């Protein structure tokens, strides 16, 4: 495990290699981290009881150009009070999950991005995946789903006390 606190920026291309199934990177205590050009591949033998490879607690992460291939644990997982921003990234298998998720110009292959409060999804492609917007009734977070293409997936929306805006989305091969 590696803990990251404070404000960190990594501008060099990096590859995260987890050699054991119980490894993770923790971003905690109000930290803000930016990562660019990252490739994450899940090792064999990962048990299904983990939550994420990069775990946020009351922190913020900005990821630009991530390539992720995970089957058992989310590449980025927020445990509460977190904001996950991803841009120009591709996810095969599981997708990021957090309190607030912002995704722009991303491709999601078979995994659905998720959030417990709000999601802003723009200019992205979802293949065999959809999204669910189900914030708690006490949340006043608004979600925006603009200019996306869904192949074989859909949107589930249960919003009380918040607004979910949908504009210019395209749905292919979706049956309800």
């Amino acid at each position: 495990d590696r803990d990251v606190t404070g404000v960190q920026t990594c501008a060099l291309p990096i590859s995260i290699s987890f050699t054991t199934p119980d490894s993770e990177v923790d971003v905690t205590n109000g930290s803000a981290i930016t990562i660019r050009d990252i490739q994450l591949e899940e090792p064999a033998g990962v048990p299904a009881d983990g939550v994420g490879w990069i775990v946020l607690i009351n922190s913020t992460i900005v990821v630009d150009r991530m390539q992720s291939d995970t089957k058992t644990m989310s590449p980025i997982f927020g445990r509460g009070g977190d904001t996950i921003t991803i841009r120009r990234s591709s996810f095969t298998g599981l997708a990021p999950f957090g309190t607030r998720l912002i995704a722009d110009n991303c491709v999601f292959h078979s995994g659905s991005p998720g959030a417990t409060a709000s999601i802003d999804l723009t200019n992205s492609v979802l293949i065999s995946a959809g999204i669910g917007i189900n914030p708690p009734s006490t949340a006043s977070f608004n979600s925006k789903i603009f200019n996306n293409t869904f192949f074989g997936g859909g949107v589930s929306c249960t919003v009380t006390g918040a607004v979910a805006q949908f504009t210019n989305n395209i749905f292919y091969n979706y049956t309800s």
Side-chain angles (χ1 to χ4, degrees):
D1 289 355
R2 175 160 184 236
D3 291 327
V4 178
T5 59
V7 176
Q8 305 284 326
T9 300
C10 180
L12 299 174
I14 64 172
S15 177
I16 294 179
S17 297
F18 296 104
T19 56
T20 61
D22 59 349
S23 299
E24 68 183 40
V25 174
D26 295 321
V27 182
T28 62
N29 300 324
S31 300
I33 185 170
T34 299
I35 301 175
R36 293 183 183 92
D37 299 310
I38 183 172
Q39 181 176 352
L40 185 120
E41 292 185 39
E42 191 171 84
V46 176
D49 59 353
V51 292
W53 293 106
I54 301 172
V55 178
L56 277 73
I57 303 170
N58 294 317
S59 296
T60 300
I61 190 168
V62 176
V63 177
D64 199 2
R65 293 181 304 271
M66 177 184 223
Q67 300 294 316
S68 172
D69 186 357
T70 60
K71 308 280 185 284
T72 307
M73 295 194 324
S74 176
I76 305 169
F77 186 87
R79 288 191 174 267
D82 54 89
T83 299
I84 299 169
T85 301
I86 49 177
R87 297 183 294 246
R88 294 178 291 276
S89 297
S90 177
F91 299 91
T92 300
L94 297 178
F97 180 87
T99 304
R100 177 158 168 65
L101 180 67
I102 303 163
D104 182 48
N105 199 16
C106 295
V107 177
F108 300 94
H109 300 270
S110 71
S112 301
T116 58
S118 70
I119 184 168
D120 288 1
L121 183 67
T122 55
N123 307 310
S124 295
V125 176
L126 290 89
I127 302 168
S128 298
I131 57 170
I133 304 171
N134 305 300
S137 60
T138 57
S140 61
F141 296 104
N142 295 328
S143 295
K144 297 175 186 168
I145 313 300
F146 294 162
N147 305 320
N148 302 291
T149 303
F150 295 82
F151 289 96
V155 176
S156 169
C157 184
T158 306
V159 177
T160 304
V163 175
Q165 299 174 327
F166 294 87
T167 303
N168 298 328
N169 295 291
I170 300 169
F171 294 87
Y172 288 105
N173 300 323
Y174 179 70
T175 58
S176 57

